[in-house]
Amino acid sequence: MSSAAKVLLRAAVTGVMDKIDSVLRIALGGIQTNLRKLNDAANEIATAPARGAEPTDYDKALVDALEAQRAIEASAVVMRRADQALGTLLDALR
């Protein structure tokens, strides 16, 4: 392989790895944000009896918990796909 081709390949690989890194960071941010949201919802549900809340007062917290769960699952799928892409890229470079 010529030195020019090696430089182009290195630049292409670096670009792809930067994109994968960005995707992983965004997915991780989504997981962290939604874990906080899930924790807040769980805390709201757990402390409701102490506050004298009625069962109908749990609806927003339950919906928030389900939304956070689905968002965490979606971010995990994105992370898995990015990991697979990185693995494929590394396998191709061997």
Side-chain angles (χ1 to χ4, degrees):
M1 183 181 292
S2 71
S3 61
K6 288 180 183 178
V7 169
L8 288 175
L9 178 62
R10 185 174 295 135
V13 169
T14 301
V16 171
M17 289 183 74
D18 286 344
K19 289 181 192 301
I20 292 171
D21 180 61
S22 294
V23 168
L24 286 170
R25 288 177 190 272
I26 290 168
L28 179 59
I31 289 172
Q32 291 171 333
T33 298
N34 285 289
L35 280 174
R36 281 190 296 274
K37 183 177 178 182
L38 184 58
N39 186 51
D40 291 346
N43 188 46
E44 182 78 19
I45 293 165
T47 60
R51 293 188 321 268
E54 294 294 322
T56 56
D57 297 336
Y58 300 166
D59 60 345
K60 181 178 178 344
L62 289 169
V63 169
D64 288 347
L66 288 172
E67 285 178 353
Q69 177 189 356
R70 297 297 189 263
I72 291 167
E73 291 169 353
S75 292
V77 169
V78 169
M79 288 189 89
R80 252 190 313 274
R81 298 287 190 235
D83 179 60
Q84 290 170 346
L86 182 60
T88 301
L89 175 65
L90 294 174
D91 288 345
L93 293 174
R94 288 184 188 170

